Amino acid sequence: MLNIIFTAALAFIIAAIYAWGFHFLPKEGWQFFAAVPVKKKGDSWIGCNLTWYGIISAFSTASGAALFLILIAASGIPLFHAAAFLGLVLAAAVPSAKIIAAAVEKKKHTISVGAALFVGILVSVPALSALNLVLSHFNESALPLFPVMASAAVAYSFSEGIGRLACLSFGCCYGRRVSSLNGIMKSLFSVWNIRFRGETKKISYASGWEGKKVIPVQKITSILYAVNACAGTYLFLSGNFRSAFAAVISVILLWRVFSEFLRADFRGAGSVFSVYSAMALTASIYCLFVAWFFPSSPSDLPDIAKGLAALRNAGTLTGLELIWVLVFLYMGRSEVTGSVIHFHVRKDRV
């Protein structure tokens, strides 16, 4: 019963966040939340724009990490060992979001979550194996493969489901124009679509589609990944680790491939499949190979009460706060927009 309550609470929290984000974030006033003066120029200052993209990305990453640790603790795996695994994966995945995107799209100031996912998947099993070697050296128990991989997959789906709200704020990862569609797709998305406002949103300066009806790819992804995360959470808490991993990661990666056909933003060169689609297909084959052929070790049935109790640990909370700060500093400073700030005295109030 507690498993159902936890999964339902997770769904309610996500639904509340989506209700806010879907309504407000596509609007013009929800791209920047602050501009910090960094250099004086004449009577004004050049500002560094701090974005909602960064805040949402930091929140989604920290939230995903929190869910990962909850599920890990529920499985009886030591949090310190799991945190070490998470740190190894994030250390490789987060920088790759910019490095690979720059190589694929030939733009220096861009980010790709798909690239980070691809690298994170590729390094996860080697990172787990390396960590287990270190643990064995200190006579510590090895981390079980499928509980760790399943909890990571569920946490990622949860995290990116929220993280796609950042794309609504920045106006990136946008869908094709409804006016370019035909048949049932045009009928469907003539009713369910999205419009972005603001000349500094990517859809405006990259395609000139401010105020145009486009396929709401970000919303679809958010909803699909949220349902995926909730279903995976219930499978995980029921002890079906291998099934949870295979099902959740398959939905994530196959949707990445399919959603490319709905998107209109530049995804790099490619006649049918973009580089990112090829990455997702490769990663899906790799994950199914792991799920099918790798052996599983005996694991106790997860106890969600024990998992939630882990969040009361001061070290856990500090680590999550550190993740939030680091991701925000990395992704929250806009490199493609600028601002000019002018300060003055309000003489009527002196």
Side-chain angles (χ1 to χ4, degrees):
M1 186 63 181
L2 192 57
N3 292 348
I4 296 176
I5 293 173
F6 177 77
T7 306
L10 207 61
F12 177 79
I13 292 170
I14 297 175
I17 293 172
Y18 286 179
W20 166 79
F22 289 174
H23 180 73
F24 288 105
L25 292 173
K27 297 181 179 181
E28 184 172 8
W30 288 86
Q31 184 173 353
F32 310 112
F33 82 94
V36 179
V38 293
K39 182 180 179 181
K40 192 167 186 180
K41 184 177 182 180
D43 294 332
S44 303
W45 288 78
I46 303 299
C48 172
N49 295 333
L50 304 180
T51 63
W52 279 101
Y53 185 99
I55 288 181
I56 295 168
S57 296
F59 175 75
S60 66
T61 304
S63 298
L67 181 58
F68 172 75
L69 295 176
I70 288 172
L71 297 179
I72 282 291
S75 304
I77 299 172
L79 280 184
F80 181 77
H81 299 169
F85 167 77
L86 184 62
L88 289 173
V89 174
L90 287 178
V94 173
S96 68
K98 281 191 175 183
I99 295 170
I100 294 179
V104 171
E105 301 179 36
K106 310 302 180 186
K107 296 178 182 179
K108 183 178 179 181
H109 305 290
T110 190
I111 294 174
S112 170
V113 176
L117 173 63
F118 177 70
V119 171
I121 288 173
L122 290 188
V123 304
S124 57
V125 174
L128 187 63
S129 299
L131 184 58
N132 281 338
L133 284 176
V134 175
L135 292 174
S136 66
H137 179 75
F138 291 97
N139 296 318
E140 297 280 353
S141 299
L143 297 178
L145 175 65
F146 286 111
V148 172
M149 296 296 287
S151 59
V154 170
Y156 177 84
S157 190
F158 176 76
S159 176
E160 188 170 352
I162 297 174
R164 281 293 157 180
L165 298 180
C167 301
L168 292 179
S169 173
F170 183 45
C172 61
C173 307
Y174 48 90
R176 294 161 56 190
R177 283 187 63 176
V178 174
S179 61
S180 70
L181 305 177
N182 296 301
I184 191 170
M185 286 188 64
K186 186 164 188 176
S187 300
L188 173 62
F189 293 116
S190 292
V191 177
W192 189 33
N193 54 66
I194 189 172
R195 302 186 195 203
F196 291 89
R197 303 291 182 182
E199 63 181 20
T200 56
K201 289 187 184 287
K202 186 175 181 180
I203 190 172
S204 299
Y205 66 76
S207 297
W209 292 355
E210 180 182 2
K212 305 296 183 182
K213 293 180 180 180
V214 297
I215 299 175
V217 178
Q218 305 94 329
K219 291 184 179 181
I220 299 171
T221 304
S222 292
I223 294 169
L224 177 63
Y225 281 12
V227 172
N228 192 39
C230 291
T233 297
Y234 188 76
L235 279 174
F236 183 94
L237 295 177
S238 300
N240 299 310
F241 304 120
R242 189 192 296 265
S243 298
F245 168 65
V248 170
I249 203 67
S250 295
V251 170
I252 292 170
L253 294 171
L254 293 178
W255 172 250
R256 278 201 164 275
V257 176
F258 179 75
S259 65
E260 293 271 329
F261 296 101
L262 303 179
R263 289 174 59 170
D265 57 320
F266 179 69
R267 306 291 293 152
S271 55
V272 178
F273 293 106
S274 72
V275 174
Y276 298 118
S277 292
M279 288 180 183
L281 283 173
T282 302
S284 65
I285 295 170
Y286 173 74
C287 288
L288 290 176
F289 176 83
V290 171
W292 187 265
F293 291 105
F294 278 52
S296 58
S297 54
S299 300
D300 295 332
L301 193 67
D303 180 356
I304 191 59
K306 184 189 298 183
L308 291 171
L311 286 187
R312 295 201 297 264
N313 183 287
T316 302
L317 294 176
T318 301
L320 293 174
E321 290 169 357
L322 181 61
I323 288 174
W324 193 101
V325 171
L326 291 176
V327 173
F328 174 73
L329 291 177
Y330 190 70
M331 294 187 171
R333 297 171 296 164
S334 178
E335 296 181 351
V336 297
T337 63
S339 58
V340 178
I341 305 169
H342 178 72
F343 298 100
H344 63 278
V345 176
R346 298 196 52 179
K347 296 182 179 180
D348 59 317
R349 297 190 177 185
V350 175

